[in-house]
Amino acid sequence: MAQTLVSPPTGATVPLNQLAPEAALRRLELTIVRRLEGFLHGDHLGLLPGAGADVNDARPYEPGQDDVRMMDWAVTARTTVPHVRETIADRELEVWALLDVTGSMNWGTVSMTKRDLGIAAIATIGFLSQRMGDRFGGLIMRPDSVRRLPARSGRTALYGLLRSMLTDPIVADNATGDMTLAKGIENLAASGRRRGMKVVVSDFLSPGDSTIDPNNRPDWERSLRRLSVRNQVLCIEVVDAAEVDFPDVGDVLVEDPETSFAHYVNTSNKATRERMNAASQVQRQRVAAAIRRAGAGHLQLRTDSDWVTDIARFVLGYRRTAAILHQPPQGVTK
């Protein structure tokens, strides 16, 4: 039986060296389909013209302003008018991840809590997206505040960020605060001025929200849609096995760690379990629909599955669908 079933967790349930097996990730690579902004020469295209290996459009030569070494002699010969060929500056990728560590993320009935599964997902994404000059930063969303971990480049910096997330104090049940997922996403949007990749890791459960109608939009959807306008966004939904398939464990006291709700449920009753499973399924469908409407990628991870395999399978499919999924809104260029 998982310790979190009988008492709240007091620390991480998975060590740092097991978060992201690097050998299993070497052949995987996240596809970045949006042009990004940055300062270092890297593997990703920037928005601004400048020195680089990729050519841009040709334009007429302006004496005294253009470098004659950039003269495009082929276009000049065809048009009989001097033209220069601009290049597009190579830029680095900046990735920011928001980790939800509120009370509901402390739940886990298998080998780890949802919180630690979320950290494992961030570790995997960090290793997959890492290239020369790329930077990875993080935000830890607690009930009363958001802790910002600056974006830095390099493998050592990534391990430091993951260690900070693992050692961040566990949030106690019924902890008070006015921080919501919507506000956390707004903080993520303000975390970096450059357009880049943003990752939101949460169970997407809002305290006191008992709505299971898929057409009823959650309060965080609007913030997520605004974030997707300028960035490539990936939402990682972490769930526990017992949340989607309630086990038969007799009479249990079901409590909400973020509110005062508490109710005894007879899980030995098959009809009761079926109703609970049906409500949970509709709840997940509502989350999936909101993420899809916001134009973000959606990956669901479970505590009873191999997260490396699940992410690998997602990445392989993501390569084929990312360009369509992350099409910018009308009037916004890539």
Side-chain angles (χ1 to χ4, degrees), residues 46-212:
L47 291 173
L48 304 177
D54 296 284
V55 295
N56 198 4
D57 296 332
R59 61 171 177 79
Y61 169 75
E62 296 182 11
Q65 297 185 16
D66 293 324
D67 189 343
V68 295
R69 292 174 297 180
M70 300 303 295
M71 193 74 73
D72 190 324
W73 297 110
V75 177
T76 300
R78 288 198 304 269
T79 63
T80 68
V81 177
H83 278 72
V84 291
R85 177 74 68 173
E86 294 181 328
T87 59
I88 302 175
D90 294 327
R91 304 294 182 174
E92 91 280 8
L93 170 66
E94 187 167 282
V95 181
W96 283 87
L98 172 68
L99 175 66
D100 179 0
V101 297
T102 53
S104 63
M105 293 287 286
N106 294 331
W107 174 252
T109 61
V110 191
S111 59
M112 66 174 66
T113 61
K114 293 191 293 182
R115 168 189 165 126
D116 289 342
L117 177 59
I119 300 175
I122 291 175
T124 308
I125 296 299
F127 285 115
L128 287 179
S129 61
Q130 196 171 64
R131 290 293 182 271
M132 180 181 295
D134 292 350
R135 304 198 303 168
F136 201 102
L139 285 85
I140 303 176
M141 189 190 83
R142 302 175 63 85
D144 57 347
S145 62
V146 170
R147 178 186 174 190
R148 186 177 186 272
L149 306 174
R152 297 188 175 95
S153 61
R155 195 169 296 264
T156 302
L158 178 59
Y159 273 114
L161 180 144
L162 297 174
R163 187 176 292 108
S164 296
M165 289 182 170
L166 279 175
T167 57
D168 195 72
I170 301 296
V171 173
D173 288 354
N174 299 320
T176 59
D178 59 354
M179 183 59 62
T180 62
L181 183 57
K183 293 182 180 179
I185 294 175
E186 295 290 349
N187 276 268
L188 179 61
S191 60
R193 295 182 179 179
R194 302 183 188 93
R195 298 204 294 188
M197 186 173 188
K198 310 290 186 182
V199 182
V200 180
V201 181
S202 173
D203 54 10
F204 294 92
L205 299 178
S206 301
D209 185 2
S210 58
T211 304
I212 58 175

Side-chain angles (χ1 to χ4, degrees), residues 247-300:
D248 180 0
V249 290
D251 287 330
V252 294
L253 177 63
V254 177
E255 294 182 297
D256 186 342
E258 298 185 33
T259 65
S260 58
F261 175 85
H263 189 73
Y264 278 99
V265 176
N266 180 16
T267 59
S268 296
N269 187 299
K270 182 179 179 180
T272 299
R273 293 200 309 274
E274 289 177 349
R275 288 196 300 270
M276 294 174 68
N277 290 338
S280 177
Q281 183 178 6
V282 173
Q283 186 181 55
R284 298 303 168 183
Q285 290 174 352
R286 182 188 180 213
V287 170
I291 295 174
R292 185 170 57 253
R293 286 191 299 261
H298 181 206
L299 168 62
Q300 185 184 87

Side-chain angles (χ1 to χ4, degrees), residues 4-70:
T4 53
L5 281 175
V6 293
S7 63
T10 57
T13 55
V14 60
L16 179 62
N17 61 0
Q18 294 182 11
L19 280 180
E22 295 185 48
L25 304 175
R26 286 175 184 161
R27 295 190 177 183
L28 296 176
E29 180 181 79
L30 279 179
T31 299
I32 306 301
V33 299
R34 298 288 289 276
R35 292 183 180 178
L36 310 168
E37 295 174 344
F39 294 103
L40 300 179
H41 293 283
D43 298 334
H44 310 284
L45 295 178
L47 291 173
L48 304 177
D54 296 284
V55 295
N56 198 4
D57 296 332
R59 61 171 177 79
Y61 169 75
E62 296 182 11
Q65 297 185 16
D66 293 324
D67 189 343
V68 295
R69 292 174 297 180
M70 300 303 295

Side-chain angles (χ1 to χ4, degrees), residues 31-34 196-198 230-234 318 322 326:
T31 299
I32 306 301
V33 299
R34 298 288 289 276
M197 186 173 188
K198 310 290 186 182
R230 287 179 48 85
N231 302 277
Q232 181 173 331
V233 182
L234 173 61
Y318 192 64
H326 296 288

